[in-house]
C-alpha cells in the first residue's frame, strides 16, 4: 500500500511539473510549439523525464485499480486501502485537468495504454 501511495504522489507531482514545463501556445501552432521546445532544452528535457516517470507511476495505479476491481467481481480478497489509492489516480488526473486539459488527456492516454499493455489478466502470478 505504501508503494501505491508513493506512485500516487510521484504521478501527480510529475504530471504537474510536465504541465508546467511544457510550453503553452494558444492557439496551438505546431511551429511555435517546436520553437519553444528547442529554445528551452533544459525545460524540455525535464518535462520529458517527468512525463516518462509520471505516466509509468500512473500506469501502475491504473493497472492495480483494474486488477483490484476484477478481484472484487470474482469475490476474492481485496484490500480496501489499495483499492482507494488505486482509484485516487483518477482524482489526480481530474486535478491536473484543471490546469491544462489537453496535456492531461495525453498524459492519461499514455498511462492508460501502458497500464493495459503491462497487465496480464489470464495468468495470475503467485506472490
Amino acid at each position: 500500500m505504501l508503494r501505491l501511495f508513493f506512485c500516487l504522489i510521484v504521478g501527480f507531482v510529475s504530471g504537474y511539473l510536465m504541465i508546467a514545463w511544457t510550453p503553452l501556445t494558444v492557439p496551438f501552432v505546431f511551429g511555435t510549439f517546436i520553437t519553444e521546445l528547442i529554445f528551452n532544452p533544459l525545460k524540455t528535457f525535464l518535462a520529458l523525464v517527468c512525463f516518462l516517470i509520471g505516466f509509468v507511476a500512473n500506469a501502475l495505479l491504473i493497472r492495480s485499480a483494474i486488477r483490484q476491481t476484477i478481484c472484487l467481481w470474482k469475490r476474492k480478497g481485496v484490500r480496501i486501502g489499495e483499492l482507494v489509492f488505486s482509484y485516487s489516480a483518477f482524482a489526480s488526473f481530474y486535478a491536473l485537468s484543471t490546469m491544462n486539459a489537453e496535456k492531461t488527456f495525453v498524459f492519461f492516454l499514455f498511462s492508460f495504454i501502458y497500464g493495459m499493455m503491462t497487465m496480464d489478466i489470464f495468468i495470475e502470478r503467485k506472490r
Side-chain angles (χ1 to χ4, degrees):
M1 190 155 70
L2 186 61
R3 180 180 67 103
L4 293 177
F5 178 71
F6 181 72
C7 285
L8 180 67
I9 297 299
V10 167
F12 180 76
V13 170
S14 295
Y16 174 76
L17 292 175
M18 182 269 307
I19 288 171
W21 286 338
T22 51
L24 178 65
T25 57
V26 177
F28 184 77
V29 178
F30 187 72
T32 308
F33 180 73
I34 294 297
T35 304
E36 289 289 327
L37 289 177
I38 291 172
F39 285 139
N40 295 320
L42 181 62
K43 283 175 71 173
T44 300
F45 176 73
L46 292 176
L48 290 174
V49 168
C50 286
F51 180 78
L52 179 69
I53 291 171
F55 94 76
V56 169
N58 283 319
L60 292 174
L61 289 170
I62 291 171
R63 182 178 66 191
S64 175
I66 299 298
R67 279 188 183 163
Q68 293 289 329
T69 304
I70 290 171
C71 287
L72 190 65
W73 282 342
K74 291 182 177 180
R75 301 202 189 278
K76 293 184 180 178
V78 176
R79 294 182 178 159
I80 299 300
E82 288 184 9
L83 190 65
V84 168
F85 278 125
S86 298
Y87 276 102
S88 295
F90 297 107
S92 74
F93 283 120
Y94 175 74
L96 289 173
S97 71
T98 60
M99 293 175 235
N100 191 317
E102 293 85 13
K103 293 176 189 177
T104 303
F105 178 71
V106 171
F107 191 55
F108 171 74
L109 195 62
F110 272 82
S111 299
F112 186 77
I113 290 172
Y114 186 71
M116 293 297 105
M117 283 178 19
T118 59
M119 188 169 142
D120 52 348
I121 296 174
F122 301 109
I123 301 172
E124 293 187 13
R125 297 180 184 168
K126 307 229 181 205
R127 294 182 187 194

